[in-house]
């Protein structure tokens, strides 16, 4: 591997471009080059230069030294932590990338990549500190890659974390055509006494739901099946989103809840967070509920965005299947004591969230872990 460090940035930036230097720079006896084999080193170097300012724009305390090398560095002491515990998360964007590729829209999937990682960090009570990305493709298109990384930088700024490095891998034979894939890696930290485990949740706690921005990045294999069965093109107007095409509407980026949830956490009143991803409220709320407790939800307490109603009708998808596949309008759940509802709601709304009181914790008994509208 060849390391391409950013030597002029005030943030530590290391971008790697996968290559075999000896093969790449020394033509074989028959005159073949690495470019002939499908890997363009010059395109990779051009991409590195293009994304340096994007990474610099995400600088934050702890990532403010001129560093380079084979890895990105982060100074926990410089970030202000005394007794930190590191929390790490990794994720991708899934088959939402196929929508981006077919629609030719690449500016938001980078935000999705960051969101899917940092939203998982804050659930543990951790502040997102830094992010690294992995971009793999068949043949590097620097313009597309730069657009994707610009989205990643945008997501990092929304989350308050630094983009300190990444890797671009051009792998003909593994991928075909214009296809690419993304993976993200986020690291955060929490003071040891602030780590959330869900153990503080008790019977009678209130569950607040923070509105999602739409589908986020889950359930797209089912979404694409509905689109394909209906012979819909991504360029067509979406009936559930005025003025937008199907492609643009479906690619609405995942909301990043890091700053608002961290602000709520500072009150000391949060018992648990649950990031509502694949599996919906049905599968994700139980992950933060202690044994003996269940969630009782009022499905009429929040508005369901039109995209979900359209999918259910167009695809003939039953309610229970919608609830266990999609977020259905709630991207993050916050569990708090009754007496803290007003204060925490105000803080979350001040930070731009739309907040709904969607249910309470109850004794589980013999019923399911999540019960909608009083169902057993």
């Amino acid at each position: 591997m060849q390391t391409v460090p950013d030597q002029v940035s005030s943030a530590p930036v290391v971008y790697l471009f996968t290559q075999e230097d000896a093969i790449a720079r020394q033509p074989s006896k028959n005159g073949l080059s690495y470019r002939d084999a499908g890997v363009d080193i010059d395109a990779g170097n051009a991409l590195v230069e293009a994304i340096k300012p994007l990474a610099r724009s995400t600088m934050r305390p702890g990532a403010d030294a001129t560093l380079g090398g084979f890895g990105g560095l982060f100074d926990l002491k410089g970030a202000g932590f005394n007794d930190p515990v590191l929390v790490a998360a990794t994720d991708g964007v899934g088959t939402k990338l196929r929508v981006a590729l077919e629609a030719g829209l690449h500016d938001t999937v980078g935000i999705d990549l960051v969101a899917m990682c940092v939203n998982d960090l804050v659930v543990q009570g951790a502040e997102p500190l830094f992010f690294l990305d992995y971009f793999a493709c068949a043949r590097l298109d620097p313009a597309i890659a730069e657009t994707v990384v610009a989205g990643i930088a945008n997501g990092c700024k929304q989350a308050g974390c630094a983009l300190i490095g990444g890797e671009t891998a051009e792998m003909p034979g593994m991928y075909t055509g214009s296809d690419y894939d993304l993976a993200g890696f986020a690291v955060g930290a929490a003071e040891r006494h602030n780590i959330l485990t869900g153990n503080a949740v008790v019977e009678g706690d209130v569950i607040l739901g923070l509105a999602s921005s739409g589908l986020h990045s889950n359930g797209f294999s089912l979404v694409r099946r509905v689109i394909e069965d209906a012979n819909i093109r991504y360029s067509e107007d979406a009936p559930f989103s005025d003025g937008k095409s199907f492609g643009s509407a479906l690619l609405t980026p995942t909301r990043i809840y890091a700053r608002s949830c961290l602000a709520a956490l500072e009150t000391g009143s949060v018992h648990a967070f649950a990031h509502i991803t694949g599996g919906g409220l049905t599968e994700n709320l139980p992950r933060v509920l202690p044994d003996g407790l269940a969630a009782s939800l009022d499905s009429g307490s929040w508005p369901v965005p039109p995209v979900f109603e359209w999918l259910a009708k167009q695809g003939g998808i039953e309610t229970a299947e919608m609830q266990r596949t999609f977020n259905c309008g709630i991207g993050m759940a916050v569990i708090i004591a009754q007496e803290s509802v007003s204060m925490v709601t105000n803080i979350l709304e001040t930070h731009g969230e739309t907040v709904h009181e969607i249910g309470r914790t109850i004794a589980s008994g013999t019923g399911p872990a999540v019960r909608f509208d009083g169902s057993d």
Side-chain angles (χ1 to χ4, degrees):
M1 294 187 184
Q2 179 186 18
T3 303
V4 188
D6 181 351
Q7 299 290 358
V8 298
S9 171
S10 57
V13 179
V14 181
Y15 256 85
L16 305 176
F17 186 69
T18 299
Q19 54 186 281
E20 301 165 18
D21 286 330
I23 297 175
R25 300 186 184 282
Q26 298 295 327
S28 64
K29 291 181 180 180
N30 63 5
L32 285 174
S33 68
Y34 209 15
R35 187 192 297 260
D36 294 329
V39 178
D40 190 339
I41 297 169
D42 293 333
N45 290 337
L47 173 62
V48 170
E49 291 302 314
I51 62 182
K52 282 181 179 180
L54 297 174
R56 282 198 295 269
S57 71
T58 68
M59 183 181 65
R60 55 149 293 153
D64 54 7
T66 302
L67 301 171
F70 284 90
L73 279 70
F74 192 93
D75 180 4
L76 281 172
K77 185 176 180 181
F81 287 90
N82 297 310
D83 184 22
V85 174
L86 293 178
V87 183
T90 183
D91 211 334
V93 183
T95 60
K96 190 174 187 177
L97 284 180
R98 177 52 55 190
V99 178
L101 286 162
E102 294 185 15
L105 301 171
H106 307 280
D107 55 332
T108 58
V109 289
I111 301 174
D112 290 307
L113 185 66
V114 176
M116 294 304 290
C117 295
V118 299
N119 286 342
D120 280 351
L121 294 183
V122 76
V123 165
Q124 306 293 140
E127 175 188 348
L129 300 177
F130 60 86
F131 191 86
L132 299 97
D133 68 276
Y134 177 75
F135 181 102
C137 59
R139 183 179 296 276
L140 183 64
D141 183 325
I144 290 177
E146 183 181 352
T147 299
V148 172
V149 176
I152 293 171
N154 185 344
C156 285
K157 286 186 282 189
Q158 290 184 39
C161 64
L163 175 60
I164 68 171
E167 183 164 45
T168 301
E170 196 170 17
M171 298 189 291
M174 289 291 292
Y175 298 92
T176 59
S178 61
D179 286 2
Y180 63 85
D181 199 7
L182 295 174
F185 310 88
V187 174
E191 297 290 1
R192 192 175 303 272
H193 64 277
N194 284 336
I195 294 175
L196 293 179
T197 63
N199 289 337
V201 178
V202 297
E203 184 178 352
D205 278 352
V206 173
I207 303 172
L208 301 178
L210 308 188
S212 69
S213 55
L215 290 166
H216 286 186
S217 299
N218 301 106
F220 270 84
S221 292
L222 179 54
V223 172
R224 291 171 46 246
R225 175 64 183 270
V226 172
I227 295 292
E228 290 168 5
D229 286 352
N231 294 316
I232 292 170
R233 297 186 302 273
Y234 289 114
S235 59
E236 294 179 31
D237 291 340
F240 50 83
S241 186
D242 291 342
K244 288 188 176 182
S245 66
F246 272 93
S248 179
L250 294 175
L251 289 169
T252 299
T254 306
R255 186 165 181 81
I256 293 176
Y257 300 98
R259 293 184 187 269
S260 59
C261 286
L262 287 173
L265 190 61
E266 289 180 0
T267 67
S269 301
V270 175
H271 292 173
F273 292 120
H275 184 199
I276 310 305
T277 54
L281 288 159
T282 303
E283 302 291 338
N284 287 287
L285 267 176
R287 297 168 67 180
V288 297
L289 296 177
D291 290 343
L293 292 183
S296 176
L297 304 180
D298 176 4
S299 60
S301 60
W302 73 90
V304 176
V307 62
F308 298 106
E309 296 177 344
W310 182 86
L311 283 167
K313 182 178 180 180
Q314 182 66 43
I317 306 171
E318 295 182 355
T319 298
E321 184 67 17
M322 291 293 297
Q323 291 170 339
R324 70 189 300 266
T325 303
F326 301 108
N327 67 64
C328 293
I330 299 297
M332 182 73 76
V334 186
I335 303 179
I336 56 176
Q338 173 66 55
E339 59 268 21
S340 302
V341 169
S342 179
M343 174 183 60
V344 173
T345 297
N346 182 63
I347 289 172
L348 291 166
E349 290 178 342
T350 298
H351 283 78
E353 303 298 348
T354 300
V355 184
H356 306 282
E357 188 172 327
I358 65 173
R360 295 179 180 275
T361 57
I362 60 173
S364 58
T366 58
V370 177
R371 304 165 194 185
F372 291 89
D373 307 318
S375 62
D376 292 329

